Amino acid sequence: MENQTYKIAVLPGDGIGPEVTAEAVRVLTAAGRRFGCSFEFCEALIGGAAYDAAGHPLPPETLELCKQSDAILLGAIGGPKWDNLPVHLRPEAGALLPLRKALDVYANLRPAVVFDALANASTLKREVVEGLDIMIVRELTGGLYFGKKKREKINGGERVEETLEYTTGEIERVARFAFGLARQRRKKLTSVDKVNVLESSRLWRDVVTRLAGDYPDVELSHILVDNCAMQLVRNPRQFDVLLTENMFGDILSDLAAQLTGSLGMLPSASVGGSIGLYEPSHGSAPKYAGLGVVNPIATILSGAMMLRYSFGREDAAGAIERAVAAALARGYRTRDIMEPGCRQVSTAEMGEIIAGLVEKG
Ligand code: IPM
Ligand code: MG
């Protein structure tokens, strides 16, 4: 693995996307210098920026570059400027969802970790969130997001249809991913469903239960999604790995993000296909674009996840995570996590500080 070169497609996107991806690139480069690997970063347009320049939020050249890369680093997409476009040209439906589908990245990993230095930053009490470390595994290429949809006029009104589809195979592959991750962690897997109402949840629960036999060392439990939302704010540390279908995972992962104090801290990895997609869990925050005030840590930590899940470089991934913890422990804060007695730094300064700590080790 020494001195390997990895080709990374960098898709900065809209709003604050370019600022945060620049810092992740800086930190990855530092990690490469220290751990003997190099990166070839190739930029391409996506989202509103791509629509403005090329007339489509996911131009064919961008998709082609992604498919020829070893991994993809995405900033954020969307903004009010593009909200009124027809659905298929909007950044979310026209670029992000098709990109996930085209790459077949069916497992979306969203860790919610409370760094010691930030235990007071959450809106929940310190004793509830201190030491929190949960991993949400969200199914990403099926369910309501991709099911058949229809909108029609009837009797002077309208009628919509939206379908939630899953096959045994789709449930199995993401569940196996979650069991595997639980096995490397605290060996507890909680599968989220709405088995009392949805047929899709009954299949989901059947499949997950059947697979449990292959992972006797993992303790499996099931929870209804409404109860899960409540338990996440009541006592989030009871969970280790949470496995959910697409829509439930979208909602629960924002909830889990807030437990950690700021959405600006939450990375994500979308994996399972041959090329992984790494992006912060936050959006494009257009009102902060270009001001240099946002938190690049979510994107920097997404870079660490890339090193771990796409390249198997646990050494470099761990070094980035420790550097983030060290920067926070030394009192450096971007505006979203600023506390009295700490030192407020810009987006680029935070990137420089973390890159410096990665290189020094
Ligand atoms: C997310 C986002 C996306 C989703 C939107 C932008 C389509 O909320 O990644 O969680 O719902 O998957
Ligand atoms: Mg979401």
Side-chain angles (χ1 to χ4, degrees):
M1 285 275 205
E2 288 293 292
N3 296 319
Q4 191 156 353
T5 299
Y6 301 109
K7 182 168 172 180
I8 300 175
V10 179
L11 314 180
D14 306 319
I16 61 169
E19 295 160 63
V20 293
T21 44
E23 298 318 312
V25 165
R26 190 201 302 268
V27 172
L28 281 168
T29 306
R33 274 198 293 268
R34 167 138 176 251
F35 292 94
C37 49
S38 50
F39 302 102
E40 186 193 338
F41 296 104
C42 303
E43 270 200 25
L45 292 168
I46 193 166
Y51 174 77
D52 289 347
H56 196 281
L58 183 62
E61 310 83 75
T62 298
L63 188 56
E64 203 40 48
L65 172 73
C66 290
K67 288 183 169 168
Q68 283 162 13
S69 301
D70 297 314
I72 302 158
L73 179 69
L74 175 67
I77 61 171
K81 187 174 171 200
W82 305 284
D83 277 352
N84 296 321
L85 288 172
V87 174
H88 71 284
L89 291 176
R90 285 179 54 170
E92 299 84 354
L96 189 57
L97 302 185
L99 183 62
R100 289 172 177 171
K101 195 75 174 173
L103 297 168
D104 200 23
V105 283
Y106 58 80
N108 181 221
L109 317 184
R110 297 191 166 181
V113 172
V114 172
F115 285 84
D116 288 344
L118 292 187
N120 289 323
S122 173
T123 43
L124 267 67
K125 292 193 194 91
R126 183 183 184 104
E127 56 269 30
V128 175
V129 296
E130 199 165 25
L132 181 75
D133 177 4
I134 59 185
M135 176 69 90
I136 296 183
V137 179
R138 167 188 176 195
E139 200 291 326
L140 200 61
T141 52
L144 276 174
Y145 277 64
F146 295 95
K148 287 188 280 300
K149 301 172 201 298
K150 188 163 143 193
R151 183 164 170 169
E152 59 186 350
K153 303 236 180 295
I154 49 151
N155 313 330
E158 286 190 89
R159 178 182 170 276
V160 290
E161 226 177 88
E162 200 114 53
T163 48
L164 201 175
E165 292 170 43
Y166 273 113
T167 62
T168 308
E170 285 174 314
I171 300 168
E172 235 183 81
R173 61 185 189 171
V174 72
R176 284 202 187 277
F177 208 103
F179 272 112
L181 274 180
R183 185 168 256 182
Q184 292 161 27
R185 295 169 47 101
R186 298 190 302 279
K187 301 186 170 37
K188 271 180 63 177
L189 177 62
T190 309
S191 175
V192 181
D193 61 38
K194 187 72 186 174
V195 81
N196 48 352
V197 177
L198 300 176
E199 198 55 43
S200 55
S201 285
R202 289 190 270 274
L203 179 62
W204 185 277
R205 199 178 276 212
D206 286 349
V207 172
V208 175
T209 304
R210 178 167 49 73
L211 292 182
D214 292 348
Y215 304 86
D217 51 328
V218 175
E219 181 197 323
L220 171 68
S221 53
H222 304 273
I223 190 168
L224 296 175
V225 62
D226 47 352
N227 185 24
C228 183
M230 181 177 75
Q231 297 298 333
L232 273 170
V233 280
R234 195 184 72 88
N235 174 21
R237 280 180 313 211
Q238 69 186 284
F239 298 116
D240 178 14
V241 178
L242 282 169
L243 167 65
T244 95
E245 64 88 48
N246 203 347
M247 184 79 181
F248 296 161
D250 178 45
I251 298 165
L252 294 178
S253 63
D254 266 29
L255 192 162
Q258 183 54 35
L259 301 175
T260 72
S262 170
L263 201 47
M265 294 295 299
L266 268 271
S268 83
S270 302
V271 294
S274 52
I275 303 157
L277 170 66
Y278 299 84
E279 55 178 315
S281 291
H282 60 68
S284 61
K287 72 174 179 191
Y288 297 120
L291 303 179
V293 297
V294 297
N295 190 346
I297 292 179
T299 318
I300 290 170
L301 290 172
S302 302
M305 294 185 87
M306 175 189 292
L307 290 167
R308 173 171 298 125
Y309 295 108
S310 281
F311 307 146
R313 299 294 305 237
E314 186 54 44
D315 52 355
I320 292 178
E321 288 160 353
R322 285 191 300 279
V324 167
L328 296 170
R330 288 173 193 207
Y332 296 111
R333 299 283 189 278
T334 41
R335 198 169 70 174
D336 56 315
I337 49 176
M338 186 56 191
E339 289 174 80
C342 291
R343 168 139 175 243
Q344 191 169 324
V345 295
S346 69
T347 309
E349 283 167 331
M350 185 59 102
E352 278 164 30
I353 290 160
I354 295 168
L357 288 163
V358 166
E359 268 199 88
K360 274 190 244 126

